[in-house]
Amino acid sequence: MLVIIPVFLYSLFLFDLLRHMLDAQETSLTTAWDYTVLDYEKEPESVATEDGGTTTEAFSGFEMAQAYSRYMYCDHESGLDSYGPGKGPECQDDESHHTDVVAHACWLNVGGQQVYCSLDADDVGAYDDPLHQSYRSTFGRGGLIRCSARLGVQNYLLPEQFLPEFSRVRLAKEKQERANGVHNNATGKFSDGGTQAGKGEDVYLLPEEKIAILTDTWALTEHADVRPGTAGGRGMHERVTQLYQNPDNSGFTDMSSASERLVSQAISSGLLNPGLRLEPQSYKTPGDDPRNPSLAIKPDQSGDGAVEEVEQQGGRQGYFSNEWQDWENNNNQRSYEARGNWYLGCARAESC
């Protein structure tokens, strides 16, 4: 019977440790995945920091996502909301979420850390290609995001020794007094203002939970809709222009020189108006300029194919702006119609 009692108590303590480890894993995991739903096309903003200052985010929502995650998991679980008016910054003045009997977890323990994320925006996705790097530095945001969190746990039930008359082996770390307050015990502060040294020795530090996620930050988040001869379209025209007119694009450099010579000869021969001369490094010449890309794209939002209407022979004629129908196999249309509503286009949930 004497052996059963400590075994039972230690089983309860082990159960709490495993549960708190899952809490820490959930915190890191969900925070990282929050970055998959941000609008990377949105311009970064200046936001307030936790120390009262301001900073410009690496991309829109980078600081906000992890800050709100720290608020949600300040009580180290998503099932409770322990932050808000009157409870202090990140649960510091509220201990109602500490309802455990055996082991209490707390971010405030020595060596503990709430979830924080860092960004590696330079090395990941880099290639030894100046054209690629130029486009990436202009439009790429985000990169490899690493998030980590670490919980500390203290003992509130187990005796440090069992039957000290027969053994002086320390079976558990120092038992804490609940009346002193879990947060005070975690930080080593007493209610009378005093402090206790060496608090790190009384903490069971759980493994640091780390996760990394690579974001695809080049994609546009809204449909591009561009008419011929106009810029805009939620960045589509700007992205095409950046590649087309890039100085590292040797084909564009050769074509520009040849086009300028051709138009100059045509003007000298009286075939073109002098006002159509192609000035070097100036891509705003009226009329068609081969050095300035003309882009047209219309999104298919109806499921019937994107149709572009063109004034032709005294009327309006509709044309598909992509390979929706090729009047032979109609592969794009058939693929769209065969796509299911589940992940990867599956017709049934979790079937592929």
Side-chain angles (χ1 to χ4, degrees):
M1 180 62 69
L2 293 178
V3 176
I4 294 178
I5 294 176
V7 170
F8 176 73
L9 293 178
Y10 281 102
S11 298
L12 293 177
F13 186 72
L14 179 60
F15 176 81
D16 280 352
L17 284 180
L18 295 176
R19 182 167 54 83
H20 292 315
M21 185 179 297
L22 292 177
D23 289 337
Q25 290 178 358
E26 179 190 19
T27 303
S28 296
L29 181 65
T30 57
T31 303
W33 279 106
D34 282 344
Y35 286 105
T36 64
V37 295
L38 298 181
D39 185 358
Y40 288 92
E41 191 182 352
K42 185 179 179 181
E43 291 297 324
E45 300 176 351
S46 178
V47 296
T49 58
E50 296 176 349
D51 58 4
T54 58
T55 184
T56 300
E57 297 182 294
F59 55 82
S60 180
F62 176 68
E63 300 292 342
M64 176 195 69
Q66 55 181 304
Y68 279 119
S69 185
R70 287 191 289 272
Y71 283 129
M72 172 178 286
Y73 291 101
C74 68
D75 49 26
H76 35 82
E77 61 177 284
S78 59
L80 299 173
D81 290 327
S82 302
Y83 67 91
K87 296 183 179 180
E90 302 187 6
C91 312
Q92 289 182 13
D93 298 334
D94 178 70
E95 294 189 3
S96 60
H97 56 278
H98 286 288
T99 58
D100 297 295
V101 177
V102 183
H104 283 273
C106 192
W107 303 111
L108 300 177
N109 278 306
V110 177
Q113 172 198 300
Q114 284 189 275
V115 61
Y116 280 88
C117 300
S118 62
L119 173 67
D120 184 351
D122 298 324
D123 297 332
V124 178
Y127 293 97
D128 189 18
D129 179 11
L131 191 62
H132 170 91
Q133 288 299 99
S134 176
Y135 185 91
R136 178 175 176 269
S137 62
T138 302
F139 300 108
R141 290 176 181 155
L144 184 65
I145 302 172
R146 296 183 175 93
C147 297
S148 63
R150 193 173 194 182
L151 267 175
V153 180
Q154 286 186 305
N155 168 33
Y156 279 80
L157 181 64
L158 297 181
E160 292 185 63
Q161 293 180 328
F162 182 71
L163 298 178
E165 298 85 358
F166 302 97
S167 174
R168 297 184 180 275
V169 177
R170 190 182 184 192
L171 302 179
K173 296 190 176 184
E174 180 181 349
K175 178 184 175 183
Q176 306 297 313
E177 296 297 330
R178 184 66 174 85
N180 189 47
V182 175
H183 291 173
N184 287 334
N185 289 333
T187 58
K189 296 179 181 179
F190 293 122
S191 56
D192 59 3
T195 59
Q196 179 180 357
K199 288 302 296 179
E201 300 176 358
D202 300 325
V203 177
Y204 292 90
L205 274 180
L206 300 181
E208 185 177 10
E209 300 297 339
K210 300 179 181 179
I211 185 174
I213 187 170
L214 181 62
T215 56
D216 179 12
T217 62
W218 291 9
L220 296 171
T221 55
E222 294 188 13
H223 290 292
D225 192 352
V226 190
R227 303 275 65 79
T230 61
R234 297 292 298 178
M236 179 65 74
H237 187 272
E238 289 78 1
R239 295 179 182 222
V240 173
T241 301
Q242 203 276 345
L243 290 174
Y244 187 74
Q245 298 178 350
N246 198 296
D248 293 313
N249 183 356
S250 58
F252 174 77
T253 304
D254 298 339
M255 181 274 295
S256 296
S257 301
S259 299
E260 292 164 9
R261 290 194 301 270
L262 177 62
V263 173
S264 180
Q265 292 173 3
I267 293 175
S268 300
S269 302
L271 300 177
L272 291 178
N273 188 297
L276 296 177
R277 185 180 303 277
L278 301 181
E279 300 295 340
Q281 303 300 319
S282 177
Y283 307 135
K284 297 182 180 180
T285 305
D288 291 333
D289 187 342
R291 304 169 305 169
N292 195 5
S294 184
L295 176 66
I297 182 172
K298 184 175 183 178
D300 176 15
Q301 297 177 320
S302 63
D304 297 327
V307 178
E308 186 70 55
E309 292 188 348
V310 179
E311 292 287 348
Q312 181 179 341
Q313 298 178 350
R316 298 182 67 84
Q317 179 66 41
Y319 295 91
F320 289 113
S321 59
N322 56 33
E323 305 87 355
W324 179 255
Q325 290 182 348
D326 56 14
W327 288 274
E328 183 177 353
N329 294 320
N330 300 339
N331 290 330
N332 281 18
Q333 182 182 18
R334 291 167 59 193
S335 298
Y336 179 87
E337 293 172 349
R339 180 178 177 84
N341 295 324
W342 303 96
Y343 181 63
L344 293 178
C346 294
R348 301 185 307 277
E350 301 181 4
S351 61
C352 56

